[in-house]
Amino acid sequence: MNNPKVVTVLSGAAALYFAFSIFGGTEAPSSTLSTLNWIFFILALIGCVDSLYKLAKGL
């Protein structure tokens, strides 16, 4: 995926999904699932910020 616009949309959607599963869940997940949710949420945010940076720089 070399297109930063596509990466922005996909990582933003993934970040929203993981944010909903972390903060909007009605029942508590296991500690392993909670850890994985946080890891993937942070990685999705990093990908989104990086692609926004590339879009701003025109790369």
Side-chain angles (χ1 to χ4, degrees), residues 1 6-23 36-48:
M1 281 193 222
V6 173
V7 175
T8 302
V9 171
L10 290 177
S11 61
L16 286 175
Y17 172 76
F18 286 115
F20 175 74
S21 69
I22 291 170
F23 301 115
L36 286 173
N37 277 340
W38 274 103
I39 290 171
F40 291 139
F41 176 64
I42 291 169
L43 289 174
L45 284 179
I46 290 171
C48 190

Side-chain angles (χ1 to χ4, degrees), residues 3 5 7 11 22 24-25 27 30 34-36 42 51 53 57 59:
N3 190 348
K5 291 178 184 178
V7 175
S11 61
I22 291 170
E27 57 186 52
S30 68
S34 179
T35 302
L36 286 173
I42 291 169
S51 60
Y53 174 76
K57 289 291 185 178
L59 298 175

